[in-house]
Amino acid sequence: MKTILKNCNLIDGLVSNIVKNSNIVIQNEEIVEISIGEMKDVQDAHIIDCTNKYVIPGLIDCHVHLVWDGSDDPQSNISGKDPETIALMAYKHALATLNTGVTTVRDVASPGRSVLSLRDSINQGHLLGPTIVASGPAICMTGGHVHYIGVEADGEDEIRKTTRKLLKDGVDLIKVMATGGIYTFGEEPGSPQLTKEELTATVDEAHKKNKKVAAHAEGLIGIQNCLEVGIDTIEHGIFADEESIRKMAKKGTYLVPTMIVMKRLANDDSIPGWALEKAKQVVGPHQKMLEKAIKYGVKIATGTDCGSPVTPPEYYHDELLIMEQAGMDSMAVIQASTRVAAECLDLRDRGVISEGKKADMLILPSNPLENLSILKGDKEIIKNGKFVNTEKSTTKSELVVS
Ligand SMILES: [Zn+2]
């Protein structure tokens, strides 16, 4: 049976205007037809009246840690647990993420096969959840940034072999730690970690298999190293200078800013003092960097670091507000969170609302372009053609949810 969203205001992720009076026909998991204006008679379909409602593609978060719960000390909750138990905990966080309207995530560091197994179960349709793109464990230097959810490797040969092993294990991308960060004791966000030679080895191996490399890169030297060796996505990018930002724009490197996690960390004294101090130092430069990146036309894909300390999944929408405050218009923010994010993740089957794509969509009660914060509120979430949150339903429908 088909489902038809009738007479909606469509924000499709592609064009920069709202397409009024749109009808979207969903069959099984896919969008099979989009028409404008009067609908022709359709037999055997659930018709959902979306008059005065707005439909956008399901949102995408390009930087999450599903194994962490976003509490003030997420690592302690998984520390010492086996990967199977951690995978079940990650499933709970994946469901919470889907319920915020995020229908796809890229997970960029998880221990063992925990999130890789969860990815397989969800992506193959055995469990309900957001589509997952996963790096498995991040590659870091011995004792490097969040080494407890990574795999430690040193020197070109070890890095090359570790990258090959991860690819053999079925990861969708490689994540590397190019600099220090906030939430590992005894390191500075600005200090480089993996060397240029080590980064080159991982990029070589990943690109041979057509996989991208995402780099945690907060300090300038680390960012410069990443740009020089052809890293595909820069995560955080806090201390990028003007030259690096121009280079990102020129090379088409994606920036995944994760502004919200730094703001949360800098304003919550429940975290250890040493982390709080570091967080407070990065918030200002991070904001200025994002403003410049927008100005110079860097490809920005929305990512939050949700799961990290004091940042559970519901903070996703605050990231969008920060992007808008930094200079993006609201349509650009929605596109960064849908189409551009899908491109960043190499997902060609979703991220926009058009014929032949997977039916991941949100039905919103008012215009998000006028106020992005309405994305936080009640909405209906369609994942792979099925409504997933009927208890919050705001649209009259006779649809029976399975
Ligand atoms: Zn992260």
Side-chain angles (χ1 to χ4, degrees):
M1 177 164 309
K2 288 175 179 167
T3 300
I4 302 175
L5 309 184
K6 185 186 167 192
N7 197 27
C8 40
N9 296 299
L10 174 62
I11 296 171
D12 65 4
L14 288 162
V15 300
S16 54
N17 59 295
I18 296 172
V19 185
K20 292 184 174 170
N21 308 117
S22 292
N23 310 303
I24 306 167
V25 184
I26 302 166
Q27 189 165 27
N28 301 322
E29 295 191 350
E30 279 184 13
I31 299 159
V32 293
E33 192 184 337
I34 297 175
S35 62
I36 297 170
E38 271 305 299
M39 242 174 41
K40 56 187 178 203
D41 273 354
V42 186
Q43 299 291 312
D44 204 22
H46 287 299
I47 297 179
I48 297 167
D49 184 9
C50 290
T51 302
N52 297 325
K53 298 196 186 281
Y54 291 76
V55 177
I56 69 168
L59 298 164
I60 298 176
D61 193 333
C62 294
H63 190 127
V64 301
H65 299 286
L66 290 173
V67 298
W68 285 343
D69 61 3
S71 63
D72 54 2
D73 190 5
Q75 180 58 26
S76 72
N77 294 330
I78 60 164
S79 187
K81 294 199 164 66
D82 57 74
E84 293 81 359
T85 305
I86 294 174
L88 290 168
M89 294 166 83
Y91 181 50
K92 185 177 158 193
H93 309 146
L95 275 182
T97 303
L98 181 61
N99 275 322
T100 66
V102 172
T103 54
T104 297
V105 297
R106 183 179 64 159
D107 186 281
V108 284
S110 54
R113 284 198 54 82
S114 52
V115 170
L116 295 175
S117 299
L118 178 64
R119 172 203 65 183
D120 293 344
S121 294
I122 291 177
N123 291 5
Q124 289 166 18
H126 304 305
L127 290 173
L128 174 68
T131 297
I132 297 175
V133 172
S135 71
I139 303 176
C140 64
M141 67 176 202
T142 295
H145 185 59
V146 291
H147 53 87
Y148 27 85
I149 54 168
V151 52
E152 294 169 313
D154 304 289
E156 282 178 68
D157 289 349
E158 263 187 45
I159 296 275
R160 197 175 289 278
K161 185 149 193 174
T162 304
T163 306
R164 287 175 176 169
K165 273 186 175 167
L166 287 167
L167 293 165
K168 185 182 173 193
D169 212 21
V171 301
D172 300 305
L173 75 151
I174 298 290
K175 167 79 181 296
V176 289
M177 299 303 187
T179 71
I182 309 295
Y183 222 78
T184 302
F185 180 72
E187 63 179 31
E188 289 304 319
S191 66
Q193 293 203 345
L194 292 179
T195 66
K196 210 190 295 178
E197 292 72 27
E198 288 170 327
L199 293 168
T200 301
T202 204
V203 168
D204 277 355
E205 295 303 321
H207 286 184
K208 274 188 215 169
K209 294 215 162 178
N210 296 319
K211 302 292 185 196
K212 281 184 170 158
V213 181
H216 165 100
E218 300 190 355
L220 178 59
I221 294 170
I223 291 167
Q224 287 167 334
N225 289 342
C226 288
L227 291 169
E228 209 166 306
V229 308
I231 291 281
D232 303 284
T233 79
I234 300 277
E235 313 295 307
H236 319 299
I238 297 167
F239 295 108
D241 62 1
E242 191 163 319
E243 194 188 334
S244 306
I245 290 168
R246 283 181 189 273
K247 205 165 175 181
M248 270 186 238
K250 194 170 166 208
K251 288 170 79 96
T253 311
Y254 288 91
L255 171 68
V256 181
T258 76
M259 308 300 292
I260 185 60
V261 71
M262 304 303 172
K263 289 215 164 164
R264 295 282 306 153
L265 287 168
N267 288 292
D268 195 321
D269 55 15
S270 66
I271 65 168
W274 51 264
L276 185 62
E277 275 315 302
K278 285 196 268 181
K280 282 184 174 166
Q281 284 166 22
V282 304
V283 168
H286 203 187
Q287 180 77 19
K288 287 205 173 69
M289 181 281 301
L290 179 60
E291 287 166 11
K292 276 199 194 123
I294 293 166
K295 196 169 134 198
Y296 290 122
V298 173
K299 282 199 275 191
I300 294 168
T302 303
T304 59
D305 227 339
C306 277
S308 292
V310 299
T311 316
E314 61 267 27
Y315 283 96
Y316 177 88
H317 309 100
D318 292 84
E319 182 77 21
L320 277 53
L321 300 179
I322 298 171
M323 289 158 77
E324 187 181 33
Q325 282 158 14
M328 291 174 92
D329 66 49
S330 51
M331 182 61 97
V333 173
I334 287 178
Q335 292 187 351
S337 312
T338 55
R339 176 178 51 79
V340 180
E343 288 165 1
C344 175
L345 273 49
D346 284 335
L347 288 176
R348 291 176 181 83
D349 64 345
R350 57 193 86 227
V352 296
I353 297 176
S354 68
E355 290 173 9
K357 302 291 180 186
K358 294 285 183 188
D360 286 0
M361 290 180 267
L362 308 181
I363 305 175
L364 306 167
S366 59
N367 186 354
L369 299 180
E370 285 171 9
N371 181 4
L372 282 172
S373 65
I374 65 115
L375 290 165
K376 283 189 204 180
D378 284 351
K379 57 194 159 285
E380 283 173 277
I381 302 162
I382 304 173
K383 174 66 196 164
N384 287 342
K386 285 183 178 162
F387 282 72
V388 298
N389 64 336
T390 47
E391 72 278 7
K392 282 187 180 172
S393 180
T394 55
T395 302
K396 277 194 180 150
S397 156
E398 54 181 279
L399 188 75
V400 178
V401 179
S402 58

